[in-house]
Amino acid sequence: MRDPRRVAILISGRGSNMKALVEQAQGYEVALIASNKPLAPGLEWARSAGLPTWTWDSKGVDKDEFDRVLSAALEDHDVGTIALAGFMRILSPSFIDRWRGRIVNIHPSLLPKYRGLDTHARAIAAGDAVSGCSVHLVTEELDAGEVLGIAEVPILPDDIAQTLEQRVLAAEHHLYPEILSEFVKR
Ligand code: GRF
């Protein structure tokens, strides 16, 4: 059994949650930053912060092949926990099975509400008074694994998706490091 405190963070884009997880790491260490997008801005930040990085452009690559190579990179770095942070790829069932119970994600809604994309626009359109974010276990079903923690964010009368997104994102940056610190102990 690998040490759950050795965390890999998987990103595809700007990586603001990755940055929060790195800067507020408590009780875990960041063993690897991995990306399926070689030009992800977050990857550049990780390199300049001196963190180990791995990347392979997933475009046009067979899904199972990509996930096998990614899995091998995670094993090479003795990773025990995988934190998805804006990783815009559905992981293959065999990858999820290999790392079962050890993959977490942050999602910008109060799960089980609004799985999938466009969560903020959907919450506003529904007339919800409160939105927020959830950290959850990753299973084969999209955004449906056990919820490990949530943070609520009020929806204001003049909110549009972008303004709500900004406030939820700020909440994500507090919630994710806190829940990950607790999760690696279990
Ligand atoms: C966030 O909205 C997060 O909730 C979702 O993907 C986005 C990632 O943003 N899973 P960032 O790359 O961490 O800035």
Side-chain angles (χ1 to χ4, degrees):
M1 161 94 178
R2 288 171 198 276
D3 187 342
R5 293 167 301 183
R6 285 187 60 79
V7 173
I9 306 173
L10 272 51
I11 62 167
S12 298
R14 67 190 163 193
S16 71
N17 277 288
M18 170 206 67
K19 201 170 165 216
L21 289 174
V22 169
E23 289 176 344
Q24 299 171 59
Q26 239 179 45
Y28 62 86
E29 60 177 313
V30 177
L32 186 66
I33 306 291
S35 182
N36 65 321
K37 298 274 176 206
L39 299 179
L43 209 48
E44 195 50 46
W45 181 88
R47 283 194 199 101
S48 65
L51 293 162
T53 60
W54 175 93
T55 184
W56 187 24
D57 194 342
S58 58
K59 210 165 156 198
V61 178
D62 173 76
K63 188 186 248 320
D64 287 329
E65 168 72 357
F66 183 91
D67 285 1
R68 259 197 307 277
V69 176
L70 172 60
S71 216
L74 297 169
E75 282 169 13
D76 283 350
H77 286 81
D78 283 322
V79 165
T81 299
I82 300 168
L84 308 185
F87 187 64
M88 300 304 283
R89 247 180 97 77
I90 309 259
L91 293 161
S92 58
S94 53
F95 184 96
I96 291 173
D97 194 41
R98 159 68 187 84
W99 297 94
R100 187 165 303 282
R102 299 307 328 160
I103 314 173
V104 298
N105 181 40
I106 187 145
H107 183 76
S109 78
L110 295 176
L111 289 173
K113 275 191 157 183
Y114 313 126
R115 294 172 178 160
L117 298 174
D118 298 324
T119 56
H120 307 299
R122 286 156 72 199
I124 291 169
D128 293 355
V130 180
S131 188
C133 47
S134 312
V135 177
H136 66 95
L137 272 181
V138 173
T139 61
E140 285 82 353
E141 201 184 335
L142 185 68
D143 301 327
E146 179 192 349
V147 173
L148 304 169
I150 61 144
E152 293 190 343
V153 174
I155 299 181
L156 305 178
D158 53 358
D159 258 336
I160 55 170
Q162 289 81 353
T163 53
L164 180 58
E165 179 189 4
Q166 278 173 15
R167 295 201 317 285
V168 171
L169 201 55
E172 292 177 27
H173 298 160
H174 293 290
L175 180 73
Y176 208 178
E178 184 191 322
I179 300 300
L180 188 61
S181 298
E182 286 171 20
F183 177 72
V184 297
K185 291 187 208 148
R186 77 180 212 182

